[in-house]
Amino acid sequence: MIGNDKTQVSESVHVLAPLPYAENAMEPVISARTIGFHYGKHHKGYVENLNKLAAGTEFAGMTLEKIVAATAGNPDKAAIFNNASQAWNHTFYWHSLSPKGGGEPPAALKQKIEAAFGTVDACKKELATAATTQFGSGWAWLALDGDKIKVVKTPNADSPLTKNLKPILTVDVWEHAYYLDYQNRRADYVAAVLDKLINWNFAAGNLRG
Ligand code: MN
C-alpha cells in the first residue's frame, strides 16, 4: 500500500490506483462514460482532495486505512475522513467488479455464504436489498464479522472498516455510479452488477489475510 516506505517522500502522497480494466470493460452493464467520470473525476477528486487536506498535518504519510481509523466519528476531521474513506472505498469497488464477474463464488466462499445465508441467491438478495434501501448516497457490502459473513450498508463515505468489520466486497450506490446509465433505477443497476459483474474471486481472496 501507499505510504509504507517512509524513506521516500513521494510515498507519503496518495496516488490514484490504476483501474484494473479498461473503462469500457463493464459495458453494457456500466458504460465507459460512467466509468470514465466515476474513476477519472470522482475517485481522482477524492485522492487529490485528500492530498491537499493531509499535507503538512499529522496525517501526511499515513496509509488510507490509518487515516480512516484515526478520523472516523470525529466531526472536526470529517473532510479528511470523507476523502480518505472514499479513496479507499473506490479502489475496493473497482476490484469488486470484473468483466468476467457474476456466476458462482469459489467453493470456500460459497460454503461461507451458504453457512450465513442458506444460498448464494439469498445472499445476493440481501445484498440487493441493502443496496436499494440505503437512503441517499452510500455503499452496500459483504463483510466479515469475526468468521461470519454479513451484509452491511453504510451512508456517504462510511465503510465497514469503522465498525471493526473486514470488507470483502462492495457495490457503490451513489447516484454517480449509475445515473448516466440507469437514471433513478438503482435496483436495475444493482441487479445487473450482482448478476454480471460481481467479482467473487476478489471476495474469496479477501477471506484470507
Ligand atoms: Mn463512487
Side-chain angles (χ1 to χ4, degrees):
M1 289 300 294
I2 306 304
N4 285 343
D5 184 357
K6 298 289 196 287
T7 60
Q8 290 181 29
V9 174
S10 63
E11 292 285 333
S12 66
V13 175
H14 299 276
V15 295
L16 180 65
L19 200 60
Y21 33 71
E23 289 184 359
N24 66 358
M26 298 301 148
E27 291 189 339
V29 177
I30 305 174
S31 67
R33 192 157 178 258
T34 290
I35 301 276
F37 277 105
H38 197 175
Y39 175 72
K41 302 287 184 192
H42 292 278
H43 189 183
K44 183 167 184 257
Y46 296 126
V47 174
E48 289 175 352
N49 286 338
L50 171 63
N51 283 330
K52 283 183 204 151
L53 289 162
T57 75
E58 66 198 282
F59 304 109
M62 275 192 197
T63 62
L64 292 178
E65 291 88 343
K66 282 192 176 149
I67 297 173
V68 165
T71 58
N74 183 344
D76 294 339
K77 304 292 181 196
I80 193 162
F81 169 81
N82 286 335
N83 285 285
S85 192
Q86 284 291 80
W88 193 96
N89 292 353
H90 279 86
T91 299
F92 199 79
Y93 169 65
W94 303 128
H95 287 274
S96 293
L97 308 180
S98 165
K100 295 182 172 137
E104 288 285 299
L109 175 60
K110 191 176 175 188
Q111 206 169 30
K112 257 188 168 352
I113 286 175
E114 287 174 346
F117 301 96
T119 64
V120 173
D121 276 348
C123 172
K124 284 166 69 176
K125 200 170 168 191
E126 195 173 321
L127 194 52
T129 299
T132 51
T133 59
Q134 169 54 41
F135 186 78
S137 296
W139 302 81
W141 309 79
L142 283 181
L144 281 179
D145 185 358
D147 199 39
K148 189 168 187 246
I149 293 190
K150 64 199 289 193
V151 167
V152 180
K153 57 182 176 179
T154 59
N156 302 314
D158 202 7
S159 89
L161 293 176
T162 67
K163 304 165 204 321
N164 253 335
L165 303 172
K166 180 179 166 51
I168 62 169
L169 191 71
T170 195
V171 180
D172 187 342
V173 296
W174 284 58
E175 284 187 346
H176 65 223
Y178 60 87
Y179 212 83
L180 293 175
D181 301 329
Y182 296 85
Q183 293 77 52
N184 61 322
R185 292 174 286 114
R186 185 192 289 187
D188 291 353
Y189 153 76
V190 169
V193 163
L194 292 181
D195 278 343
K196 301 192 172 81
L197 300 182
I198 207 71
N199 188 350
W200 294 120
N201 288 330
F202 175 66
N206 288 322
L207 294 179
R208 305 181 289 271

